[in-house]
Amino acid sequence: MMLKSPELPDCRYLSPPVMVRPANPTPKHTLYLSNLDDQNFLRFSIKYVFLFEKGVSLCNLKRSLAIVLEHYYPFAGRLRVCGGGASRSEFDRKLEVECNGEGAVFAEGFMDLTAEEFLRMADTPNRSWRKLLYRFETLGFLDIPPLVLQVTNLRCGGMILCTGINHCLSDGVGTSQFLHAWAHLTSKPNLPLPIIPFHFRHVFKPRNPLHVTFHHPQYSKTTPSNNHILLNLLRSLPLRPVSVVFSGADILRLKRRCTPSLKCTSFEALAAHTWQSWLHSLATAAVISPLPPSLLINLLFSVNVRRHMHLPEPPSGFYGNAFVLACAQSTVKDLTANATVGNIHHSVTLVQQAKAAVTEEYVRSVVDMLDDRNVRTDMSATLVISQWSKLGLEDLDFGEGKPIHMGPLASDIYCLFLPVSGDLSAVRVLVSVPECVAHKFEYYMKGCCYTDHEDEHTINNIINSSNNSNGQQNGFI
């Protein structure tokens, strides 16, 4: 349950959505999806929202979309289950892409809203944002085309572009590559694509025989019952999106908590800090049923493995899923204790170790393990961080300027690191947490911005005050 925030007005569709097909005939064949593509964890669409101050001609967008689909023709195909026949569930069967040129869905609408009005509410998505992407109410996952697009024109002459791109076909790097190719063909129709897409996924085929050489705690066939405590907590309480912007100076202060004994990247520092703040705030929401101190909490984050693979490596232009989930683990006791004293050294070290573990052999081991269709990503006691801030999506330009906002269509218990338009060094952290701990989580996150004991003492007083009021209001002691 997501609590309400300012809602968008209704979207008025100017006409029924159309199917945009490739401009010229494309190859007709079946595209193999690797085990990295075809994870149950990825059976959804990546939904991006872009806000532009000035709209782009719909005719030009459709024309260039038809041309880019000629190059990225699998996006104009349809997902299907391999082999056909009866099955217990589509989730038990491997998927492939039927490259048939059926096309992408393109919807256009109008909303009585200005870009400035949307920008004021853009940090915290809510359910009303679903109006920004055409919905297939009665269709299942396999029946929805891999690419669904909607342009919503605004009262001020601006526009919102929302994209739904099936994650089984592409990862974040690949979706950015595709969207930039579309923008390039819109604004520079006479110039060739700067990157030629490579469609085939054979580099990530499993070995024969299969050889799982690592322990992968982020995957499981069965989940220990006590691990469900945290997941059940998140499912049982009303959620509220929390958005926190970290300037370059804020991130530098955070990194200094690890020096001089430990050097770390901005991502490592922010991921570690977010992990600790998230768990520390959730632990207080479980006072009726306390989290066991020995409970292992996972932090999962994607690692792009395009440069990890050798002989052969994924060719330039590869837009399929080329990432694995790195896993850092720590106990409730250690994470909360370090969060209390503001020390991220412990969690940064774990993040660095998880990153370092991702070698070519580690990737091969994951691919082989995922050949077992019963293996699932273990989400029971887990925070997942997805980094969108380094994909270049804030630079998408269809010829009328870059977006003044870029973000997701919805906020979830998955955590996103998002770009901040106009500030390359800043990162916006967005995640939904239980309403009863939202203020506390936000204050823990912002605590790194305070540099002296007096300011830290002030923020701790604010946290304690917020704890008391929230606890009384929501029935927590």
Side-chain angles (χ1 to χ4, degrees), residues 135-172:
R135 286 174 61 82
F136 295 84
E137 297 290 349
T138 60
L139 299 183
F141 172 76
L142 293 182
D143 300 313
I144 298 175
L147 181 60
V148 180
L149 305 163
Q150 179 171 320
V151 172
T152 304
N153 291 301
L154 305 177
R155 188 174 72 240
C156 62
M159 76 174 190
I160 298 173
L161 170 66
C162 191
T163 66
I165 306 175
N166 193 297
H167 208 329
C168 291
L169 270 71
S170 191
D171 60 11

Side-chain angles (χ1 to χ4, degrees), residues 50 87 111 208 228 257 262 309 437:
F50 301 90
S87 173
M111 192 170 282
N208 187 14
H228 287 292
R257 291 187 178 183
L262 181 66
M309 309 303 290
V437 301

Side-chain angles (χ1 to χ4, degrees), residues 24-38:
N24 290 295
T26 53
K28 301 293 190 292
H29 64 88
T30 298
L31 178 67
Y32 165 82
L33 293 179
S34 76
N35 288 345
L36 296 183
D37 293 313
D38 186 27

Side-chain angles (χ1 to χ4, degrees), residues 410-432:
S411 177
D412 207 333
I413 59 174
Y414 303 151
C415 179
L416 297 177
F417 286 2
L418 300 167
V420 176
S421 295
D423 190 346
L424 294 176
S425 64
V427 177
R428 180 165 68 94
V429 179
L430 176 68
V431 63
S432 286

Side-chain angles (χ1 to χ4, degrees), residues 87-316:
S87 173
R88 291 173 295 164
S89 164
E90 68 184 40
F91 290 98
D92 298 328
R93 300 286 295 276
K94 188 162 181 58
L95 302 181
E96 61 189 9
V97 182
E98 183 181 3
C99 299
N100 54 21
E102 286 193 16
V105 175
F106 189 100
E108 53 186 284
F110 174 82
M111 192 170 282
D112 188 13
L113 188 75
T114 67
E116 183 179 348
E117 288 168 344
F118 183 80
L119 194 59
R120 285 200 293 265
M121 65 177 78
D123 283 351
T124 52
N126 61 56
R127 292 174 66 89
S128 73
W129 285 34
R130 295 180 180 183
K131 302 169 186 176
L132 296 174
L133 186 64
Y134 184 80
R135 286 174 61 82
F136 295 84
E137 297 290 349
T138 60
L139 299 183
F141 172 76
L142 293 182
D143 300 313
I144 298 175
L147 181 60
V148 180
L149 305 163
Q150 179 171 320
V151 172
T152 304
N153 291 301
L154 305 177
R155 188 174 72 240
C156 62
M159 76 174 190
I160 298 173
L161 170 66
C162 191
T163 66
I165 306 175
N166 193 297
H167 208 329
C168 291
L169 270 71
S170 191
D171 60 11
V173 173
T175 56
S176 179
Q177 179 181 309
F178 167 75
L179 290 171
H180 277 284
W182 181 24
H184 174 87
L185 291 173
T186 306
S187 60
K188 303 177 181 67
N190 297 321
L191 295 180
L193 286 179
I195 301 176
I196 303 301
F198 187 87
H199 310 289
F200 303 102
R201 321 297 170 93
H202 55 270
V203 69
F204 293 117
K205 276 196 170 183
R207 295 175 287 197
N208 187 14
L210 301 174
H211 191 37
V212 181
T213 51
F214 287 83
H215 172 57
H216 301 286
Q218 64 272 49
Y219 296 99
S220 176
K221 291 186 180 181
T222 59
T223 304
S225 58
N226 68 328
N227 279 15
H228 287 292
I229 296 173
L230 192 53
L231 186 60
N232 290 339
L233 174 70
L234 292 173
R235 287 175 173 171
S236 65
L237 296 173
L239 300 179
R240 188 187 117 186
V242 176
S243 176
V244 182
V245 175
F246 288 81
S247 67
D250 295 334
I251 295 173
L252 182 59
R253 292 188 190 102
L254 195 57
K255 292 170 69 173
R256 283 175 177 165
R257 291 187 178 183
C258 287
T259 56
S261 60
L262 181 66
K263 292 184 179 180
C264 61
T265 67
S266 297
F267 172 80
E268 291 163 356
L270 192 53
H273 177 60
T274 303
W275 186 26
Q276 287 188 180
S277 300
W278 176 79
L279 192 277
H280 195 196
S281 60
L282 289 180
T284 63
V287 292
I288 296 175
S289 178
L291 298 179
S294 61
L295 177 65
L296 284 174
I297 305 296
N298 293 342
L299 172 67
L300 304 186
F301 56 93
S302 57
V303 175
N304 182 356
V305 300
R306 285 167 171 79
R307 296 180 181 178
H308 290 65
M309 309 303 290
H310 303 88
L311 302 175
E313 63 181 16
S316 173

